[in-house]
Amino acid sequence: MLDPLGGYLQLGAALLGDGRCPPEVAASGWNFGPSPTSAKTVEALVRGLSEAMGGEGWAAEAGYAGPPEAQQLRLAIDKAVGVLGWAPRWGFEETVARTAAWYRAWLHDAPPASLRRLCASQMDDWTSSGEALRDHA
């Protein structure tokens, strides 16, 4: 959630008039998601979360085709990248690992103060990853 949240914060700054884009552009539709090159299937996400949560794995139900679905659903992030200079900071594996860490703590009834510390630590790491991106740009 930190990558999209960061995008919305940048969009909020633009709406307040930081000069990145005119208000009529800032007030239009936006997408904040993974880069097109790191798109994954729902199955990959379910498998990744299952493994990161320490599960025994996951297997699709044999013979079940499920309801008809589009083969690929992707968010078009090109506007956020081009206008705001936004980009996702964490890749698929890092995002899944961080999400699983939070859910493991929550599911094991971690005290609220512990969850706050975990969130603060993840936010610090996410912020630092953006600084590293700027340093290498």
Side-chain angles (χ1 to χ4, degrees):
M1 290 306 305
L2 293 175
D3 275 331
L5 178 58
Y8 284 113
L9 289 172
Q10 284 185 254
L11 178 57
L15 283 166
L16 290 173
D18 72 355
R20 277 186 267 193
C21 63
E24 63 273 7
V25 174
S28 60
W30 295 84
N31 289 314
F32 302 101
S35 66
T37 59
S38 67
K40 302 288 184 195
T41 64
V42 171
E43 181 180 349
L45 175 60
V46 171
R47 286 184 189 282
L49 275 172
S50 177
E51 291 171 13
M53 293 293 292
E56 296 178 14
W58 174 85
E61 187 176 314
Y64 179 68
E69 295 274 346
Q71 290 301 307
Q72 293 186 2
L73 298 173
R74 293 188 178 161
L75 294 175
I77 65 169
D78 50 321
K79 184 166 113 178
V81 171
V83 175
L84 298 175
W86 175 86
R89 296 180 184 184
W90 286 348
F92 178 79
E93 289 80 12
E94 183 75 19
T95 299
V96 169
R98 300 293 184 131
T99 301
W102 188 91
Y103 274 104
R104 276 194 310 273
W106 180 72
L107 287 169
H108 293 2
D109 294 321
S114 176
L115 283 172
R116 281 192 295 277
R117 282 191 301 276
L118 176 60
C119 290
S121 172
Q122 289 190 354
M123 286 187 284
D124 287 344
D125 293 345
W126 182 85
T127 300
S128 296
S129 67
E131 292 165 1
L133 290 173
R134 282 192 299 278
D135 292 344
H136 291 91

